[in-house]
Amino acid sequence: MSQVAEAAVKKSEPLFSPKNRRLLTDPLDDNNPITVQVLGICSALAVTTQVKPALVMAICVIVVCSVANLVISLLRKGIPSRIRMIVQLVVIASLVTLVDQVLRAFLFDVSQELSVFIGLIITNCIVMGRLEAFAMGNKPWPAFLDGIGNGLGYGAVLILVAMFREFFGAGTLMGYKLMPQAAYDMGYMDNGVMATSTAAMFLIGIFIWIQRSRNTKLVDVS
Amino acid sequence: MPINTNSNGYTFGYAFVMTLLVAAILAGVAMFLKPRQDAELKLDKMKQILNAVAPINDKSKVKAEYESTIKEVVIDQTGKVVTDNAPAAFDLDLRKEYVKKKAGEPYNMPVYVYEKDGKKDFVIPLYGAGLWNAIWGYVALKDDFNTIDGATYGHAGETPGLGAEITKAWFQDQFKGRKFLNEKGEYEFRILKGRGNELEGKPHLVDGMSGATITGVGVDSMLRKGYQTYKTYFESMN
């Protein structure tokens, strides 16, 4: 868990030094918030029936996670340690409220579809986990990258699950019919299980299985 | 002198300033975005009303279609159409009007009259209680004031997969062609318990939702209440 320790980033270090790049790429595979840390499962099961809401959810989490990381990292030296969790929560809750308001004004249909789940980003363990584990002890720029990285890692799994579920559950992707009518004529049927959250659990389980059998580093991480 | 960030004074001060700052930012953004959000809500309401009669998917056409096909009418507690100083039908808050009705005060109710290509439907709005929160809907009646031509429902907080099924096509589609009244002119429409009921030749029954009986009962009584509210209006039109 290299990134938990205080990163000794020097002033002269380039913005996208190898170390900073790892902050972006690590959460995509070796330290994925969903498949390795097993966080944020609730929303991963709930908003993955279709690709579009999953995509919007992923973008929202990337925005909230990176900006919250940035804000907390900027404030980290002034935050009274006794109320630091409260401060973190206030920052997250304000950002989520902002995102929710913006969605309501500009993407009304999507906000109706995601309904309570946008609000539930507040309780998404990934966001608060990154604030407590990374932003409180690192400079703003690495913290910002870490937020984007973890948001991406979360979003990637979300979209992958949603692609499987939408294609096999409804024969569409992003709302476009992809399964040919000929297949239905021959007796193919959309899989109803894919529309339920149970399917997402199986899919995530399979992803974890594939990832661990390819990446032996992860086998001992529980 | 460095500030002691762990002192009580600092902690309280920090919390106080933070709260004020966050409140100001959020209030500002909410005020700034309000007009746009209201416009979206209005458009969504138009879409819901149209969906009860003539479903429309293209959002950009909703406003034009609504304005060309729907005539808004306001009725009072006696079922008469209000022509003088009528409040805007679209802006009537159904919840408040039902409160007035319950208290025995005069009230107004909106009717959305749809007319296009010789088809004339009367869309009445519905408002009631689900399991967790408010539910609402629009039901379109043919000009016999008995046959349902379509229905849409919405909810504020029903459980996805259970009560929230009222927004799904399978639930709403089965209302089309059903009748509120029996041959004797009595209200007989009912939502059954669970799915898969034998409905052949029973024009007054529709399936409910398995695992969401209370939401089903909510929709049922919302329809009954809606019909009773407009009964005198319907009778005066016949």
Side-chain angles (χ1 to χ4, degrees):
Chain A
M1 299 278 247
S2 56
Q3 76 276 50
V4 179
E6 171 99 32
V9 191
K10 294 188 193 78
K11 277 257 171 348
S12 59
E13 195 176 327
L15 285 183
F16 287 100
S17 63
K19 204 172 184 176
N20 281 350
R21 276 209 302 273
R22 277 186 61 78
L23 290 176
L24 278 175
T25 55
D26 247 12
L28 291 179
D29 186 9
D30 285 2
N31 209 354
N32 189 285
I34 295 184
T35 60
V36 179
Q37 299 177 21
V38 198
L39 295 175
I41 296 293
C42 166
S43 55
L45 299 190
V47 294
T48 50
T49 39
Q50 286 168 340
V51 175
K52 200 179 166 198
L55 188 69
V56 176
M57 186 70 177
I59 294 169
C60 293
V61 170
I62 292 172
V63 171
V64 171
C65 199
S66 54
V67 179
N69 257 5
L70 180 69
V71 172
I72 288 295
S73 177
L74 285 170
L75 298 174
R76 71 187 189 280
K77 293 199 174 113
I79 296 174
S81 62
R82 273 181 294 171
I83 58 164
R84 67 175 199 287
M85 301 290 254
I86 298 171
V87 175
Q88 290 164 8
L89 208 55
V90 168
V91 170
I92 298 170
S94 322
L95 286 169
V96 169
T97 312
L98 285 182
V99 168
D100 189 33
Q101 294 284 329
V102 170
L103 280 185
R104 260 174 223 221
F106 296 100
L107 285 169
F108 185 80
D109 298 332
V110 180
S111 87
Q112 291 271 295
E113 206 164 341
L114 292 174
S115 61
V116 295
F117 294 106
I118 289 294
L120 285 177
I121 297 177
I122 297 172
T123 60
N124 191 325
C125 317
I126 298 169
V127 185
M128 202 155 182
R130 293 329 291 168
L131 294 184
E132 180 68 4
F134 197 86
M136 286 299 287
N138 284 282
K139 289 194 169 163
W141 175 246
F144 183 67
L145 289 181
D146 179 80
I148 292 184
N150 276 280
L152 281 175
Y154 167 82
V157 175
L158 221 62
I159 289 164
L160 203 60
V161 173
M163 278 164 69
F164 276 97
R165 286 183 69 186
E166 191 178 342
F167 185 68
F168 291 108
T172 58
L173 273 184
M174 288 297 278
Y176 293 104
K177 200 87 193 159
L178 282 186
M179 190 59 85
Q181 189 57 42
Y184 290 103
D185 296 341
M186 284 164 68
Y188 172 82
M189 276 168 75
D190 288 328
N191 189 336
V193 178
M194 281 291 170
T196 66
S197 40
T198 324
M201 204 183 71
F202 287 135
L203 284 170
I204 292 174
I206 292 168
F207 291 161
I208 293 177
W209 182 15
I210 294 172
Q211 193 190 15
R212 293 201 179 186
S213 54
R214 286 166 50 99
N215 192 340
T216 45
K217 258 193 297 184
L218 297 174
V219 174
D220 287 330
V221 181
S222 60
Chain B
M1 192 184 82
I3 310 163
N4 177 10
T5 57
N6 282 322
S7 72
N8 286 343
Y10 180 81
T11 304
F12 275 111
Y14 196 96
F16 187 73
V17 172
M18 178 182 73
T19 314
L20 277 186
L21 208 67
V22 165
I25 294 172
L26 289 183
V29 170
M31 265 166 61
F32 178 70
L33 292 175
K34 186 97 170 76
R36 233 203 113 87
Q37 292 173 349
D38 286 347
E40 287 286 335
L41 280 174
K42 205 174 154 185
L43 201 63
D44 188 62
K45 187 171 172 182
M46 288 180 180
K47 196 172 163 208
Q48 285 184 41
I49 294 169
L50 279 177
N51 275 346
V53 248
I56 185 164
N57 276 323
D58 191 346
K59 213 173 151 187
S60 57
K61 293 199 183 111
V62 168
K63 195 158 189 265
E65 180 75 7
Y66 181 89
E67 280 164 357
S68 66
T69 57
I70 301 269
K71 201 175 114 226
E72 293 169 0
V73 175
V74 177
I75 62 164
D76 64 10
Q77 65 280 6
T78 61
K80 284 200 190 75
V81 175
V82 183
T83 43
D84 301 331
N85 300 325
F90 196 81
D91 299 329
L92 281 175
D93 185 342
L94 228 54
R95 191 178 59 87
K96 286 185 191 150
E97 298 305 316
Y98 272 124
V99 171
K100 283 189 211 163
K101 180 174 187 256
K102 213 172 174 183
E105 293 167 23
Y107 60 88
N108 293 114
M109 287 287 169
V111 185
Y112 304 95
V113 183
Y114 174 91
E115 213 167 352
K116 192 186 181 183
D117 305 334
K119 172 172 152 176
K120 192 170 187 184
D121 269 10
F122 296 80
V123 183
I124 61 167
L126 308 165
Y127 185 87
L131 173 61
W132 301 115
N133 208 326
I135 52 175
W136 58 86
Y138 295 91
V139 57
L141 287 176
K142 291 197 174 154
D143 51 11
D144 62 354
F145 299 105
N146 182 12
T147 314
I148 301 173
D149 201 22
T152 52
Y153 302 105
H155 66 92
E158 299 308 298
T159 318
L162 301 174
E165 291 288 293
I166 58 170
T167 60
K168 294 281 168 69
W170 75 262
F171 183 74
Q172 300 183 356
D173 287 350
Q174 52 171 352
F175 286 78
K176 204 175 163 88
R178 302 278 148 183
K179 289 178 193 308
F180 274 141
L181 309 173
N182 62 16
E183 291 75 18
K184 284 180 260 171
E186 292 156 344
Y187 188 93
E188 203 178 298
F189 186 79
R190 214 149 46 84
I191 295 175
L192 296 168
K193 207 173 154 177
R195 279 177 85 166
N197 295 293
E198 183 54 58
L199 297 170
E200 272 294 308
K202 294 172 185 164
H204 307 110
L205 301 176
V206 292
D207 269 340
M209 300 146 288
S210 314
T213 305
I214 295 179
T215 311
V217 170
V219 176
D220 189 288
S221 56
M222 174 168 87
L223 282 162
R224 185 180 298 261
K225 188 171 76 174
Y227 183 83
Q228 302 301 349
T229 309
Y230 287 91
K231 200 171 171 221
T232 45
Y233 169 72
F234 294 154
E235 282 164 0
S236 73
M237 295 291 287
N238 261 333

